[in-house]
Amino acid sequence: MRQWWLGLGLTLGLLVCGYGDGVAALTWQYIAEGVGAMVQYDHAAARGRALQGAFREALEQAVVDMVEPNALLSNLQALRTRVYAKSLQYIVSYRVLWEYPDPPQKVYRVGIEAEIAVSEVSRALDSIGLSRRREDPRLAIFMAERYPGQTSQTFAASRGVVAEVLRKELQEQGLRVINMDPGRLWDGQEASALAVGKKLDAKIVLVGWVEVQAGRQEGTDGAANQAKVEVKALATETSEEIAQAQVEATAPLAEGSQGEAQALELAATEIASRLVPPLSTYRSWR
């Protein structure tokens, strides 16, 4: 039976091993988009306005993660004047993920991945007297990759059908999943998912692999896509395994990659349902 890999021949062991990358940085990462109005076709000025908007959007996401919802509403004016108006001072670094002019809307769009200085934001919030949200652990999702003929072993942040399903399902359960650029890759022989998770200040790391192959649907004579997905949940502080789930799912063959995606969605949804109870218990215990 011919097999093909959608992502991953990399063993979980490579991802789990730590490489001693030191203490987690006091920054959180966010993806945000800013939109700047184009006046007289001045792209440069519009781009600058879009970047400022993206910085503020990233900062607002960090504040939402840190402050109780009721406190946000009752202190919105103070946040606007004393925190959001100075968004650039909380940006440690950023990189542009996309940018383009949008002539029909007469705007310029810029998407960024920004590192927010958590300690600085915390001090600003303290000065306003805002009550903090419960310190739920942040969670990062990584998937391993190795395609046929490749010798390099890599893993990616939040990439693929399984990662996207897991992100949505876990967020609906109130878990704080870090939103990362899915195009970012790491070499599994030089860094581990645990080490990267620590740098992102993630307390939980999900590490997974996926295989899809052609087969026969059970109980029928029809061909089908068979997906195998395994995901482990690891605590970055202790490297202990919090939870593990392995699922196989089958979906009818469909034109293009639709059948593959359907099989992966089914498997990922079941994986999420199995991981939520132990992850919620770990969150409550923390």
Side-chain angles (χ1 to χ4, degrees):
M1 184 182 301
R2 191 174 74 89
Q3 296 185 350
W4 67 94
W5 302 85
L6 289 184
L8 350 159
L10 178 56
T11 62
L12 292 176
L14 274 174
L15 295 171
V16 174
C17 293
Y19 284 79
D21 283 344
V23 180
L26 296 176
T27 61
W28 288 354
Q29 293 189 353
Y30 293 92
I31 292 177
E33 182 181 66
V35 178
M38 280 197 293
V39 181
Q40 296 181 344
Y41 303 99
D42 189 341
H43 286 195
R47 183 181 189 274
R49 287 189 284 270
L51 276 173
Q52 291 297 324
F55 294 151
R56 172 164 174 159
E57 168 63 23
L59 177 59
E60 288 178 352
Q61 290 182 47
V63 171
V64 167
D65 271 353
M66 299 172 69
V67 178
E68 287 290 348
N70 291 337
L72 283 174
L73 293 175
S74 59
N75 293 274
L76 188 55
Q77 185 58 38
L79 283 168
R80 286 172 176 169
T81 58
R82 299 173 61 179
V83 181
Y84 297 154
K86 305 172 183 177
S87 58
L88 189 58
Q89 75 181 50
Y90 304 104
I91 306 295
V92 175
S93 65
Y94 74 94
R95 64 191 185 104
V96 174
L97 302 178
W98 67 84
E99 61 175 299
Y100 59 92
D102 186 353
Q105 300 297 322
K106 298 181 180 179
V107 298
Y108 197 96
R109 301 181 183 275
V110 178
I112 64 169
E113 182 181 59
E115 284 190 276
I116 304 294
V118 178
S119 57
E120 295 299 320
V121 176
S122 181
R123 278 192 283 269
L125 297 177
D126 286 342
S127 69
I128 301 175
L130 293 182
S131 57
R132 300 303 177 80
R133 184 187 293 268
R134 189 182 63 153
E135 291 295 329
D136 290 337
R138 283 159 43 95
L139 183 150
I141 300 174
F142 297 105
M143 300 301 292
E145 292 191 346
R146 189 174 64 198
Y147 297 96
Q150 287 186 330
T151 57
S152 62
Q153 296 169 318
T154 61
F155 61 97
S158 306
R159 172 176 287 185
V161 173
V162 173
E164 181 62 18
V165 171
L166 287 174
R167 183 183 66 80
K168 290 181 179 179
E169 293 286 337
L170 296 178
Q171 284 182 332
E172 287 179 0
Q173 297 300 320
L175 292 160
R176 296 173 59 196
V177 182
I178 302 174
N179 187 24
M180 292 181 285
D181 172 18
R184 176 172 289 189
L185 300 174
W186 288 270
D187 185 341
Q189 295 179 324
E190 295 181 0
S192 69
L194 277 174
V196 175
K198 289 178 182 179
K199 287 187 174 181
L200 296 172
D201 196 33
K203 301 305 180 185
I204 301 173
V205 170
L206 297 189
V207 183
W209 63 267
V210 178
E211 174 191 347
V212 176
Q213 63 184 27
R216 293 287 177 182
Q217 192 164 11
E218 188 175 348
T220 72
D221 294 329
N225 289 294
Q226 297 177 333
K228 296 180 180 180
V229 179
E230 180 175 351
V231 177
K232 289 186 177 183
L234 308 167
T236 57
E237 292 181 353
T238 62
S239 301
E240 69 174 311
E241 182 178 307
I242 302 170
Q244 185 269 349
Q246 184 172 356
V247 171
E248 296 184 16
T250 303
L253 285 177
E255 185 177 350
S257 60
Q258 183 177 350
E260 299 170 3
Q262 184 180 354
L264 289 172
E265 288 175 4
L266 290 171
T269 301
E270 177 61 24
I271 287 280
S273 69
R274 297 186 187 185
L275 292 180
V276 164
L279 291 178
S280 298
T281 299
Y282 181 83
R283 177 180 60 174
S284 300
W285 178 76
R286 294 294 299 169

